[in-house]
Amino acid sequence: VSFHCVYITKKNMKIKNKVLWCSGSFVLFILGVQHFFPKFRLIRFQQRKCAQYKPLHFDITFSHRKECLKSVHQSQSAEVEVTNLNTIDEIITRGYNASTHTFVSKDGYYSSIYRISGGANSPPRNGKRAILMYHGFLATGASWIIQPGSRNLAFTLVNAGYDVWLANSRGTTPSKKHRHYDADKDLDYWDFGSVELSQLDLPQMIDLILRETGTDKLYYVCHSMGCAVLFTGLADVPELNNKIEANFLLAPPTHMGSSYNPTFLLFPPISGTPLQDLLFRFMGGRINGEPNAFLKALGLTAVKVCGWSSMRCGICDNLIFAMFGADPEQMDYDNFPTIVRMLTGTGALKPFFHGLQVNEACAFQRNDYGTSRNLLEYGSLKPPRYNLTGITVPTYIFYSENDNFVTPWDAERVRNAIPKEFMRGFYKVGWHKFNHIDFLMAKEADILLYHKIRDIIMDLEQYNECYLQGNEFCAGKSQKY
């Protein structure tokens, strides 16, 4: 294989063809070795433990193109100008009080949290109940303010009287500093996984919020990966249960197994093999969604290109549909450049690899390092499963029919893993095309989802206040949710 790659690289071939030839030859070579030497396992093929929810497919449609173009041309400008405001400035321009808070983890990572302490309808004050909102993979705290105006869940909760905090996990653009490493140069910076996010960062984040707000508990709202961080934290740091009033999980991916998202086809089954380390090094430890300087200079960034009406209607939107499922009825085409800008970030590879392992094993288990290291880490050949029986926080789960990351079957597995007395709500979003990313960007997400979450939190607050007063009326009052 080495001689073959050296030979073809001497030819006058494009870099792309060289990579394809070399990588293809390498994979064929490894498969051949595995065929004749069964004990050798560099690529591991394993039958999926869970049944597939429905056949894999790329969901692409052009039926909406005319309506999309009409909508865009009727807006104030067909080519929407994308602002370069950072998240804090953008929140302030929308009429809310915002600030940045930073903490340093024990292993030297700086993480930033955005605080929205109030707005015109709810001025800042001490003692407000805090709500921590944790984003998904390849996203940041900005993903919670994608919607125009006050339609976002973050602003909906601020207007209802709460002190809202937006997490930015280590490795994201707002949280890429380290005491010793340079995230853009040092591979060691990216040597962290879900354990570090949940055991080192999350407890500090929660303590900072409670200290700044002067309260004893907060509400936790999460989308996708942010829910996995919560569950691993509750399992490994039990005292967190005493600091959270209630959990609201949007598409929690902790018990995946029947996922049919095309992302899982792009990465071979290399969990716990030497190839995982090779891929980690080859990709620089991360999936980088940020545009490089060359593309920025040419004006060919995804945000700019998808700002053109001819591209966003039928091409850019179909890239999202192919990845998450087609839902043109809930796509806000006027707001499309903002959607792209706030959903193209950077994510560490190790938590992503962990998600692939969970889907393959159909179990919410710890990281699989391979049999040898598993013995050292866990004392067993296979990674143990996370124990969620100790969760004592009231939990509400929201899922959707067309989510190809977290299917309804997987959502049910999450529900069944939580102690029954603390599993308080299991809701399916009332739109059959609602997909994984619609939890953040759907035009009617406020009507279909956000108002429900707000109402539950407000009802819990009224119940708790009533209970603490000890009135005769309160003694007989029961919770609505």
Side-chain angles (χ1 to χ4, degrees):
V1 175
S2 299
F3 284 122
H4 176 66
C5 288
V6 170
Y7 173 75
I8 65 170
T9 52
K10 288 182 178 179
K11 297 282 187 178
N12 186 21
M13 299 177 64
K14 293 182 178 180
I15 296 297
K16 180 180 179 181
N17 291 335
K18 292 177 184 179
V19 173
L20 289 174
W21 273 100
C22 290
S23 59
S25 301
F26 180 70
V27 171
L28 289 174
F29 172 74
I30 295 301
L31 292 176
V33 172
Q34 290 187 176
H35 176 75
F36 292 104
F37 302 95
K39 292 184 179 180
F40 177 77
R41 279 291 175 266
L42 192 59
I43 297 178
R44 177 167 52 85
F45 290 96
Q46 181 174 326
Q47 187 175 4
R48 223 157 130 173
K49 300 288 179 34
C50 275
Q52 196 169 290
Y53 185 69
K54 64 181 180 181
L56 288 165
H57 66 283
F58 290 96
D59 208 347
I60 297 175
T61 177
F62 294 94
S63 61
H64 64 286
R65 182 169 168 77
K66 289 184 179 180
E67 289 76 9
C68 170
L69 290 171
K70 182 179 179 181
S71 172
V72 172
H73 285 294
Q74 286 179 345
S75 63
Q76 293 182 354
S77 173
E79 313 304 338
V80 176
E81 182 179 352
V82 180
T83 66
N84 292 319
L85 293 176
N86 61 40
T87 304
I88 289 295
D89 289 340
E90 188 157 340
I91 293 171
I92 293 174
T93 60
R94 299 203 203 180
Y96 295 90
N97 300 79
S99 57
T100 301
H101 297 253
T102 304
F103 66 88
V104 187
S105 64
K106 293 179 181 178
D107 52 351
Y109 288 82
Y110 288 81
S111 297
S112 297
I113 321 175
Y114 299 144
R115 180 184 188 181
I116 314 176
S117 56
N121 296 329
S122 177
R125 62 174 176 81
N126 293 331
K128 275 188 178 182
R129 180 74 76 179
I131 300 177
L132 172 58
M133 305 182 72
Y134 206 116
H135 58 82
F137 186 67
L138 289 181
T140 66
S143 64
W144 296 107
I145 62 165
I146 287 176
Q147 304 274 3
S150 60
R151 210 165 66 194
N152 298 280
L153 178 56
F155 296 151
T156 298
L157 295 174
V158 172
N159 291 338
Y162 299 98
D163 200 326
V164 174
W165 297 69
L166 311 180
N168 294 288
S169 67
R170 63 168 73 179
T172 60
T173 302
S175 302
K176 288 176 70 174
K177 291 184 179 180
H178 191 277
R179 281 177 175 166
H180 309 294
Y181 300 130
D182 186 329
D184 296 321
K185 298 178 181 179
D186 300 322
L187 185 63
D188 287 341
Y189 173 91
W190 299 98
D191 189 19
F192 63 85
S194 55
V195 171
E196 287 77 12
L197 295 175
S198 59
Q199 291 186 11
L200 299 181
D201 295 350
L202 185 60
Q204 272 193 269
M205 193 181 298
I206 291 177
D207 286 344
L208 185 155
I209 295 172
L210 296 180
R211 184 170 61 251
E212 290 292 329
T213 57
T215 54
D216 59 344
K217 288 188 176 184
L218 54 75
Y219 290 99
Y220 190 100
V221 178
C222 56
H223 176 242
S224 196
M225 184 196 76
C227 303
V229 172
L230 169 68
F231 273 8
T232 52
L234 292 177
D236 292 339
V237 190
E239 56 266 29
L240 290 181
N241 285 272
N242 300 323
K243 299 178 181 181
I244 302 176
E245 191 71 47
N247 301 320
F248 296 84
L249 316 180
L250 315 185
T254 56
H255 292 69
M256 288 192 300
S258 59
S259 173
Y260 56 99
N261 185 278
T263 301
F264 295 107
L265 291 178
L266 300 177
F267 287 83
I270 58 175
S271 302
T273 70
L275 270 184
Q276 179 172 312
D277 292 332
L278 289 176
L279 185 60
F280 177 81
R281 294 180 177 276
F282 177 74
M283 296 184 67
R286 64 192 184 275
I287 297 177
N288 193 356
E290 299 173 357
N292 59 44
F294 179 71
L295 291 177
K296 285 183 178 179
L298 294 177
L300 295 177
T301 64
V303 175
K304 181 67 176 178
V305 171
C306 292
W308 305 330
S309 57
S310 58
M311 293 294 290
R312 80 177 78 168
C313 299
I315 297 179
C316 291
D317 55 349
N318 266 321
L319 291 176
I320 292 180
F321 293 159
M323 182 62 67
F324 298 107
D327 189 6
E329 291 88 347
Q330 289 297 330
M331 177 69 78
D332 188 346
Y333 288 98
D334 296 340
N335 195 44
F336 197 87
T338 299
I339 292 172
V340 175
R341 175 170 63 93
M342 292 186 173
L343 288 180
T344 49
T346 300
L349 267 178
K350 287 195 171 182
F352 174 72
F353 285 151
H354 188 201
L356 295 179
Q357 294 174 8
V358 168
N359 186 62
E360 181 183 338
C362 192
F364 186 36
Q365 62 181 26
R366 298 183 182 275
N367 193 58
D368 188 349
Y369 299 104
T371 54
S372 299
R373 187 175 168 186
N374 284 344
L375 280 173
L376 294 175
E377 294 284 341
Y378 311 122
S380 59
L381 295 176
K382 294 183 179 181
R385 298 185 178 187
Y386 280 101
N387 182 9
L388 302 182
T389 58
I391 289 181
T392 59
V393 181
T395 301
Y396 302 82
I397 295 175
F398 297 82
Y399 69 100
S400 59
E401 179 66 37
N402 196 38
D403 189 338
N404 59 14
F405 261 108
V406 182
T407 70
W409 290 353
D410 292 343
E412 289 177 3
R413 277 188 277 271
V414 181
R415 177 194 63 188
N416 296 338
I418 299 172
K420 290 184 178 179
E421 61 268 36
F422 297 105
M423 185 63 247
R424 300 290 175 80
F426 188 66
Y427 306 103
K428 182 169 75 172
V429 178
W431 171 244
H432 67 287
K433 293 184 181 180
F434 207 86
N435 60 40
H436 191 73
I437 206 68
D438 276 342
F439 283 93
L440 300 172
M441 71 178 196
K443 287 194 298 186
E444 296 179 328
D446 54 341
I447 299 171
L448 294 168
L449 179 66
Y450 300 163
H451 294 172
K452 179 79 170 180
I453 296 173
R454 177 200 61 195
D455 292 345
I456 294 176
I457 292 177
M458 293 183 71
D459 185 77
L460 290 174
E461 285 292 286
Q462 291 174 4
Y463 174 81
N464 290 337
E465 183 178 352
C466 189
Y467 179 78
L468 290 173
Q469 289 176 355
N471 296 338
E472 293 182 4
F473 169 76
C474 297
K477 186 178 173 67
S478 61
Q479 284 177 270
K480 181 179 177 181
Y481 300 99

